[in-house]
Each structure stands twice: as structure tokens, then as C-alpha cells.
Amino acid sequence: METGSMSALAQLKRHLRPGQVYRRKDLARWSNAVDRHVRQLVDEGRLEKVSAGVYMAPRKTRFGVAPAKPEKLVETFLGDDRFLLVSPNAFNGLGVGMTQLHNEPVVYNRKRHGRFKLDGRTYDFRMRSSVPRRLSKEVLLVDLLHNIDRLPEDKAAILPRALARAGEMDRGRLTRAVKEYGSARAERLLAPVLRPAQAAAAFHAPA
């Protein structure tokens, strides 16, 4: 009986890849006693628990154990690859006068809402029915306007700079970003910038 168990554990070990992140149900495909085997692998240092039901196979470097990539952590935690991970300081690159340092990455997704700790770092999961496919400067600006009341900076100073920056962007891409993101607040704030594009589209639309 013990030999069979050890053989099953060895088989599970063969499937582990350094740096990869696994959900419990992923590991269960290769184990006939997943909870016992996971405990053994954690005790041996072959797995690390990074969140409830989520484990990482450590990748060792000459500097120590390398952390899992945030994208892998988030995708495994959600069980879904449709999400948008926004760096905590991404807004600073928009050139609207933001210099504050923020600690928590934001994850826009379709499954989870709340603050969750993954591999020792807290992520702010915000559930949305529509999630942009990539983080463009237009999407980032829409995100800033949607969350402007949450930011520690002075809203009265940031808002006019953000709208001025929007005026420098491609209106078609900005319009698509507003639609993809699905924010009524950002759409309202950007109306003075987007209205010319919307008027032009209406003018050229077939009768």
C-alpha cells in the first residue's frame, strides 16, 4: 500500500514544473490522494502555498527562490485568462502629474471581487462584466477617470490634466476604450473630448 502511495507521489512530482502555479484541482488530476500528497510536497519544499487552494512549484536561482510571475498567480487563482492586471504605479506614466506610490495591483476580472493575498502580496480584485483585452494608454486613462475619487492625489488638480491628455489621444481608440471598459462615469467625464468623434460618426453613418 505504501509502495503504491509513494509511486503515486513520485508520479505527481514528475508533473511539477519550477515556477508554475497550480490549483488543487489541477494537482488532483495526477494524484489519488491529493491532500496528503500536497502536504508532503509542501513539507519537502517541492510546493509552496500561495493562497487558499493555490500552490507554486518553487524556482530556485542563485539569489534564492524566485517569486511566481503575477500573471501566473492571478490566472491560476481565477481559473480564467480573461483579466486585466494594472500595476499600482501605472498611472504615473500618463503624464498628468501623478507621483504617489500605490501598493496594491488592481485586477479587473469577471469572477472575483475583494482584496486577496497571493504569494504574500495583496491584490485588489474588481469584478466587471467587461474586461479590456490589453492595457493601452487609452484604457489606462479611462481607468484613472473611473477611479479618480479613490486616488490619494488632489482630484481638482488631476482631472483637468487627465482631460487635456485625453484630447491628445486618438479619439477612435479612446472611444473603444470607454466602450470596452464599460464605465458610465468615464464616458460622462470624457464627453467633451469624445463628442466631436461621435458627431462625425453620426454624420457619416448611412441614412
Side-chain angles (χ1 to χ4, degrees):
M1 186 74 172
E2 183 66 14
T3 303
S5 176
M6 291 301 292
S7 175
L9 180 60
Q11 183 179 358
L12 175 56
K13 287 180 180 179
R14 284 196 293 269
H15 284 92
L16 300 180
R17 299 290 179 266
Q20 290 296 321
V21 186
Y22 304 92
R23 300 175 81 187
R24 179 191 174 280
K25 71 176 186 180
D26 298 327
L27 299 171
R29 291 182 297 169
W30 306 313
S31 169
N32 58 1
V34 64
D35 293 320
R36 183 169 77 249
H37 288 159
V38 165
R39 282 196 300 271
Q40 288 178 262
L41 292 171
V42 169
D43 290 342
E44 291 177 14
R46 301 291 292 267
L47 282 178
E48 286 185 7
K49 186 175 183 178
V50 294
S51 183
V54 181
Y55 301 86
M56 176 183 72
R59 181 171 63 88
K60 295 179 181 177
T61 71
R62 61 194 180 100
F63 302 107
V65 176
K69 291 183 179 179
E71 292 80 6
K72 286 184 179 178
L73 281 173
V74 170
E75 181 176 344
T76 306
F77 178 70
L78 290 173
D80 187 6
D81 62 358
R82 186 68 188 272
F83 63 87
L84 185 64
L85 179 62
V86 181
S87 164
N89 300 309
F91 291 148
N92 296 357
L94 279 173
V96 296
M98 295 183 63
T99 57
Q100 294 274 356
L101 295 179
H102 309 283
N103 295 322
E104 296 179 359
V106 176
V107 183
Y108 294 106
N109 71 99
R110 301 178 297 176
K111 289 190 171 183
R112 296 266 196 163
H113 190 82
R115 295 166 72 249
F116 298 92
K117 188 168 282 190
L118 304 178
D119 201 20
R121 186 179 193 184
T122 301
Y123 292 76
D124 184 359
F125 285 78
R126 300 179 190 172
M127 195 159 63
R128 302 191 65 81
S129 58
S130 175
V131 179
R133 292 189 176 277
R134 65 185 185 87
L135 187 61
S136 64
K137 61 184 179 182
E138 291 83 10
V139 167
L140 194 58
L141 184 71
V142 171
D143 185 43
L144 183 152
L145 292 174
H146 180 77
N147 293 293
I148 197 162
D149 289 335
R150 297 187 186 207
L151 303 176
E153 286 87 357
D154 180 9
K155 175 182 174 180
I158 295 297
L159 181 56
R161 294 175 193 157
L163 294 179
R165 182 76 177 92
E168 299 168 2
M169 293 180 175
D170 181 277
R171 287 197 182 111
R173 290 178 186 171
L174 193 56
T175 300
R176 283 195 297 274
V178 171
K179 185 177 180 181
E180 259 196 317
Y181 193 98
S183 168
R185 167 186 278 188
E187 186 174 9
R188 175 172 48 80
L189 291 172
L190 286 169
V193 177
L194 297 178
R195 195 173 294 123
Q198 292 165 351
F203 178 78
H204 291 294

